[in-house]
Amino acid sequence: MKRRDFLKSSAGAGLAAGAAFGLGRYDDLLTSRSENARYDMVAIMGGSPDAMFDLGIQELGGMETFVKKGQKVLVKPNIGWDVVPEYGACTNPLLVSRVIEHVLKAGAKEVYVFDNSVDNGPSCYKTSGIERAARNAGAKVVPAHTERYYQQVNIPGAVVLKTVKVHEVLLDTDVFINVPILKSHDTTRMTACLKNMMGVIWDRRWWHSNNLDQCIADYGLFEKKPVLHVLDCYNVMFRNGPRGISRQDLVQMKSQIITTDWVAGDTAATKLMNLETSRITHISLASKLGLGTMNIDSLNIKRIQM
Amino acid sequence: MKTPFLRKFRIFFSALVFIGFFLVFVDFKNLLPAKYINILLSLQFIPSILKFFDLKTIIAAGFIAVVVLTLLTGRTYCSFLCPLGIGQDIFSRIGGRIRKKFRRYGYKKPFTVVRYTLLLLTIIVSLIWGVYMLTLLDPYSIFGRSMTFFISPAVAVLNNLLEGILAKFDIYSLIHVPVVTYKPFVYIVPALFALLIGGLSLTKGRLYCNMICPVGTLLGLLSKISLLRIRIDEDKCTRCGRCAIGCKSSCIDFLKYDVDVSRCVDCFNCIKTCPDKAISYGIFRLKRKNVNTDTDPERRKFVAGAVLMFLGIPSALRGQEKKAIQSTKESTVKENKTCPVCPPGAISIEDFQKNCTACSLCISNCPTGALQPAWLEYGIAGIMQPVMDYHKGFCNYNCTKCIDICPTNALHPLLLEAKKLTQLGQVHFIKDNCVVKNEKTACGACSESCPTKAVYMVPYEGDLVIPETNPEICIGCGQCEFSCPTTPFKAIFVDGNPVHQVAKKPVTTELEITIPEEFPF
């Protein structure tokens, strides 16, 4: 962050226009919030991942609602596992590339993709098909497998996770789009929007040994929040998650949830998986911290069958 | 042939080979496919001998090609194919730059006793006890260790500097590589050899190759009957001695118009140096005077040794295979590892140790860094051989890199599907160390990353779940141990199998879940 800041400011010092541009972008950041979106959540069923996203994002007013011209955008899929796309352990590469295409069409200057994988990072990037898909769609795929890419930040108001090391690209981008995949999870029972943040931080072991559920919820307080969550529910892993051991662990639900409220997104996801939301500790904790609502009946949801 | 083309060709070819080897050892992004690496490795003399006698197939007989090459052309292997030899040539060149004196060699007498004793000792030890002498003296393995222990980390530092600069400009085409360091003691042998060979080559040319290297000595013996050699035309020679001064093998006795073919590595420098064009490389013709009149007892011994080696190795190995291995996994002290975990394809620690010359290629190529040079894990004889260290990394479920590239067949070929069922060790859970029990908070890092679900979670207090293990389907990849956050002792660890076992396949059944017609919310 500091290094980048220095570069930015030194470039900006020479250019008054550059400074004005910076200010303009800051304004954009404020307006790129979800206020313009027509719905809190769009749930689509019955299409291919990319086609469902086309339809869903249109219902939310298009990607332009979230991304402004010239912005730098981070698209963060789940690339946690050295597993081929058919096994549904990582976000569908089709969906990732379609999200990137929309972001670029909305005028983004640059799109970045990374994930701090659990398996060996470079292998996951390759095997998951996401590296290739993202590159072909025009994104920059950034490594995230060593500590060097991470910088310490504070999380005011956190119960446990007061400081955390996050990826520098997250700090350097203007807009953050979260593209997780819905799966069962050994520990947290399910993983979706909130849990996907474990791929932007460095020291997962610390989380695991210091009240994992609270850490997941706490991280949600960090200022650099995703503006949009695109939850891949096409092939949903119902057991042996988050990695899965065979294709028999999957149920083809052909669904997708696009939302601006991650707690609501995760709540909807638990219902898709027929789980009791209140028993998923990190979701209730996040809701308690005011990160979103578990009462999804109160939301304006658009449901689409394709 | 008198053309300086030969020397240029040698430099060009050896540069290619050297760059190839260099890249193989610093392939941080795992870009080189194993089949290309294997082409490069297949002609390495000692590894290919070991592989041949282990596999017993002619496909692995790169060393026969080297023998034939030597019988035809002399010790071209040492100049064209041996990465350690080429590396020494580079050092000699640097030495010449530092002080001109370093590149003025002149004729010297051969270290006959030393070199043949070492060769004989190597053969005897290899036949009777194992690969220990080869581990120490095989030039390829020495080169490999120098790369893995010193050069590769240095390249990583450079890579990271460059990567950091590029990243400032938003270019992420290079990846940051952790600079690996190993246990301090394992550096002793590689460091000694690097200093010895580095120093000798800097100031004395190919002295190491002609005094210590058993491959050099063996090929030198074969070159004594080689077809093509360096010759001095007595009619043209003016005895200016420039060839002798420039000869890094110190093998040209220009006063006698004689080239010691057992030491000549066919670098062809003399052809270029000779102002009278008296030196050429061509078919050997017997001189009329004093050729091989006196017999050399050392040579006789060697011939006997060489014959023994070629005939004896397979039977010696076959004899060892039948030896049963003491299983140590019966131990009840769960917290302690009773047995080191040896890499996949090893079959058993004993099998593996028979063939591994600790070239460290697998260590430098392991994508997760789980493979580490052993200190005393395997005992004194196994120092520097690769061992799985699950505190540093884990064995990637989808990876067979070490197996694919092992040049000596210490790691036997294993298809990915078979590797996925090869049990390197078994999981042990220490509940009293576990976060879930001690902190009463969720963890499950072990179960999460387990590729076979040999570690799975069962209900514990409240909504908590705690690990349980099914060692039958455990493959000992160590991902649980690597992921476990507890310190200093892990709550879950893999105890090695002295003999690798076959793990049971995880049982999967059809899911009985009806896909909802519409959204349940």
Side-chain angles (χ1 to χ4, degrees):
Chain A
M1 184 65 174
K2 275 173 194 156
R3 193 174 59 214
R4 276 156 196 277
D5 275 352
F6 168 74
L7 278 173
K8 269 187 198 163
S9 55
S10 54
L15 292 166
F21 181 62
L23 199 69
R25 270 168 49 178
Y26 188 62
D27 287 339
D28 283 345
L29 196 65
L30 290 179
T31 51
S32 73
R33 286 279 169 189
S34 57
E35 281 87 65
N36 307 5
R38 281 185 278 177
Y39 301 101
D40 301 305
M41 185 188 292
V42 179
I44 316 104
M45 190 181 266
S48 61
D50 45 347
M52 287 194 287
F53 182 72
D54 286 342
L55 214 61
I57 194 70
Q58 196 187 329
E59 289 296 335
L60 282 169
M63 194 50 95
E64 294 76 15
T65 320
F66 306 95
V67 175
K68 292 286 172 288
K69 268 205 167 57
Q71 285 185 320
K72 288 178 166 184
V73 181
L74 167 62
V75 171
K76 198 279 182 195
N78 184 333
I79 328 178
W81 307 97
D82 187 7
V83 165
V84 290
E86 293 76 46
Y87 281 68
C90 304
T91 309
N92 194 310
L94 262 181
L95 175 61
V96 178
S97 62
R98 187 51 61 93
V99 172
I100 294 164
E101 282 161 19
H102 277 271
V103 171
L104 285 170
K105 224 176 87 193
K109 191 169 112 197
E110 195 76 69
V111 185
Y112 299 85
V113 171
F114 74 81
D115 188 18
N116 184 6
S117 315
V118 182
D119 282 343
N120 175 43
S123 317
C124 296
Y125 276 26
K126 205 169 162 191
T127 313
S128 68
I130 293 177
E131 183 174 41
R132 184 190 290 177
R135 280 218 178 106
N136 289 345
K140 225 172 224 181
V141 180
V142 181
H145 64 295
T146 65
E147 197 170 358
R148 118 101 180 85
Y149 298 105
Y150 295 82
Q151 291 174 31
Q152 185 119 346
V153 295
N154 296 322
I155 304 182
V159 180
V160 177
L161 193 70
K162 309 269 185 206
T163 61
V164 66
K165 277 190 141 186
V166 299
H167 199 289
E168 59 185 22
V169 166
L170 171 69
L171 300 172
D172 196 43
T173 43
D174 308 305
V175 183
F176 179 10
I177 295 173
N178 188 16
V179 194
I181 180 167
L182 175 61
K183 290 181 290 180
S184 82
H185 196 284
D186 269 347
T187 316
T188 57
R189 289 197 165 81
M190 59 83 81
T191 162
C193 306
L194 285 160
K195 179 84 173 58
N196 198 36
M197 292 301 105
M198 288 189 82
V200 303
I201 58 104
W202 172 244
D203 197 356
R204 275 192 293 261
R205 282 207 191 105
W206 196 90
W207 290 35
H208 272 279
S209 51
N210 289 278
N211 197 349
L212 179 65
D213 289 315
Q214 188 64 54
C215 286
I216 297 171
D218 278 354
Y219 179 81
L221 291 170
F222 179 50
E223 56 184 359
K224 212 67 193 264
K225 291 183 181 60
V227 296
L228 189 68
H229 308 273
V230 184
L231 182 57
D232 178 9
C233 315
Y234 190 82
N235 280 320
V236 179
M237 191 184 288
F238 265 75
R239 64 170 177 216
N240 293 328
R243 183 195 181 111
I245 54 172
S246 83
R247 291 184 68 169
Q248 289 178 320
D249 297 331
L250 304 181
V251 173
Q252 197 169 68
M253 302 196 91
K254 290 192 178 178
S255 303
Q256 196 171 102
I257 294 169
I258 310 175
T259 176
T260 51
D261 179 339
W262 44 5
V263 178
D266 281 5
T267 308
T270 57
K271 299 207 188 299
L272 267 187
M273 290 189 77
N274 206 14
L275 294 167
E276 213 178 308
T277 317
S278 58
R279 288 190 66 196
I280 317 296
T281 318
H282 69 271
I283 302 180
S284 351
L285 288 172
S287 151
K288 264 183 216 149
L289 289 173
L291 293 171
T293 178
M294 282 169 74
N295 180 13
I296 55 173
D297 297 333
S298 69
L299 297 177
N300 189 6
I301 301 176
K302 171 80 176 176
R303 295 171 185 81
I304 304 170
Q305 293 275 359
M306 281 178 81
Chain B
M1 277 182 278
K2 293 176 186 180
T3 52
F5 156 78
L6 276 174
R7 177 174 175 269
K8 280 186 181 151
F9 173 68
R10 191 262 303 172
I11 292 173
F12 173 74
F13 189 90
S14 59
L16 278 187
V17 170
F18 192 78
I19 291 168
F21 273 106
F22 189 86
L23 291 178
V24 165
F25 278 91
V26 296
D27 185 14
F28 298 134
K29 280 176 123 179
N30 268 297
L31 294 174
L32 297 175
K35 58 179 175 181
Y36 296 127
I37 298 179
N38 282 331
I39 293 173
L40 205 56
L41 293 170
S42 62
L43 287 174
Q44 288 304 303
F45 193 72
I46 298 289
S48 109
I49 287 186
L50 288 167
K51 190 171 198 164
F52 175 76
F53 287 114
D54 201 44
L55 279 178
K56 297 166 192 85
T57 69
I58 202 76
I59 303 163
F63 76 98
I64 291 178
V66 174
V67 168
V68 172
L69 181 77
T70 309
L71 289 175
L72 289 175
T73 66
R75 280 174 66 181
T76 39
Y77 175 83
C78 302
S79 274
F80 285 73
L81 292 168
C82 175
L84 192 70
I86 302 168
Q88 289 184 75
D89 286 350
I90 297 171
F91 261 66
S92 302
R93 229 188 158 84
I94 296 170
R97 287 280 154 84
I98 299 169
R99 281 183 78 176
K100 280 231 169 87
K101 201 182 112 193
F102 288 163
R103 284 201 96 185
R104 297 169 68 83
Y105 305 109
Y107 177 77
K108 292 190 187 68
K109 282 192 173 156
F111 288 85
T112 310
V113 177
V114 178
R115 59 176 172 160
Y116 291 127
T117 310
L118 276 171
L119 175 63
L120 211 64
L121 202 66
T122 306
I123 293 170
I124 292 169
V125 170
S126 306
L127 285 177
I128 300 176
W129 290 288
V131 293
Y132 317 121
M133 285 294 279
L134 295 177
T135 303
L136 281 179
L137 297 179
D138 165 37
Y140 159 73
S141 299
I142 294 171
F143 169 80
R145 285 193 294 268
S146 310
M147 286 300 295
T148 307
F149 285 74
F150 307 113
I151 311 288
S152 177
V155 176
V157 169
L158 286 177
N159 171 82
N160 291 349
L161 273 174
L162 195 62
E163 185 272 342
I165 294 166
L166 287 178
K168 277 184 191 169
F169 294 100
D170 212 26
I171 298 165
Y172 286 97
S173 43
L174 284 180
I175 59 170
H176 184 265
V177 216
V179 181
V180 282
T181 50
Y182 309 113
K183 293 192 185 97
F185 292 118
V186 296
Y187 283 95
I188 297 172
V189 174
L192 284 177
F193 272 86
L195 286 174
L196 173 73
I197 298 171
L200 283 182
S201 59
L202 211 59
T203 57
K204 308 257 185 250
R206 290 292 197 110
L207 185 55
Y208 175 84
C209 308
N210 287 327
M211 180 169 72
I212 299 173
C213 180
V215 177
T217 310
L218 179 65
L219 296 183
L221 278 164
L222 293 174
S223 341
K224 288 194 174 185
I225 52 164
S226 72
L227 189 65
L228 297 166
R229 309 176 185 192
I230 296 285
R231 295 175 307 191
I232 302 174
D233 187 337
E234 292 174 26
D235 299 332
K236 286 185 187 168
C237 176
T238 55
R239 297 197 182 187
C240 69
R242 287 184 199 181
C243 52
I245 287 169
C247 176
K248 57 197 174 196
S249 291
S250 300
C251 71
I252 305 178
D253 190 355
F254 69 97
L255 294 172
K256 292 183 189 162
Y257 307 113
D258 185 38
V259 178
D260 179 356
V261 281
S262 74
R263 286 186 287 158
C264 171
V265 293
D266 293 320
C267 71
F268 308 127
N269 285 354
C270 49
I271 298 179
K272 195 199 166 213
T273 316
C274 181
D276 307 315
K277 300 204 165 36
I279 303 181
S280 62
Y281 181 64
I283 294 170
F284 172 69
R285 264 166 272 145
L286 277 178
K287 284 185 204 166
R288 256 146 272 148
K289 53 182 178 179
N290 70 350
V291 175
N292 292 344
T293 43
D294 49 336
T295 52
D296 181 357
E298 289 294 339
R299 192 186 305 156
R300 294 245 158 122
K301 267 192 225 165
F302 165 73
V303 173
V307 170
L308 250 178
M309 179 164 153
F310 288 118
L311 299 177
I313 284 184
S315 49
L317 287 178
R318 238 176 271 131
Q320 287 174 1
E321 272 163 18
K322 281 161 199 153
K323 252 186 252 165
I325 290 157
Q326 292 275 307
S327 173
T328 48
K329 69 178 179 188
E330 302 291 303
S331 169
T332 51
V333 189
K334 273 190 175 180
E335 289 78 3
N336 291 328
K337 290 202 182 197
T338 55
C339 175
V341 184
C342 62
I347 297 180
S348 72
I349 291 180
E350 191 182 308
D351 254 304
F352 156 74
Q353 287 200 294
K354 269 192 322 223
N355 263 28
C356 177
T357 58
C359 76
S360 309
L361 181 64
C362 54
I363 294 172
S364 61
N365 271 268
C366 177
T368 66
L371 275 175
Q372 295 280 317
W375 173 230
L376 292 172
E377 287 90 334
Y378 296 125
I380 298 272
I383 291 174
M384 300 183 300
Q385 286 179 335
V387 65
M388 307 297 273
D389 183 344
Y390 292 147
H391 286 243
K392 299 250 182 177
F394 55 89
C395 184
N396 206 10
Y397 193 51
N398 278 344
C399 176
T400 53
K401 187 79 191 226
C402 53
I403 303 167
D404 295 341
I405 58 174
C406 178
T408 66
N409 215 40
L411 305 180
H412 298 77
L414 209 54
L415 289 174
L416 181 60
E417 288 314 308
K419 182 252 174 183
K420 284 179 172 178
L421 290 174
T422 302
Q423 189 184 66
L424 314 179
Q426 281 195 347
V427 63
H428 293 271
F429 176 51
I430 311 165
K431 202 172 185 175
D432 288 335
N433 286 353
C434 183
V435 167
V436 182
K437 185 181 179 228
N438 295 337
E439 309 286 330
K440 302 270 184 279
T441 58
C443 177
C446 50
S447 149
E448 205 177 291
S449 50
C450 177
T452 63
K453 279 288 165 285
V455 186
Y456 53 96
M457 305 299 277
V458 292
Y460 192 56
E461 295 164 12
D463 276 341
L464 285 175
V465 282
I466 197 159
E468 210 171 80
T469 59
N470 178 4
E472 275 192 342
I473 58 169
C474 174
I475 56 166
C477 70
Q479 208 159 349
C480 51
E481 182 174 336
F482 177 74
S483 309
C484 180
T486 61
T487 49
F489 303 110
K490 302 269 183 181
I492 197 158
F493 71 96
V494 173
D495 196 11
N497 286 343
V499 182
H500 287 173
Q501 306 292 323
V502 177
K504 280 195 179 157
K505 259 192 167 155
V507 184
T508 54
T509 49
E510 285 295 330
L511 267 170
E512 282 170 23
I513 286 166
T514 44
I515 305 167
E517 295 281 306
E518 50 189 58
F519 287 104
F521 52 84

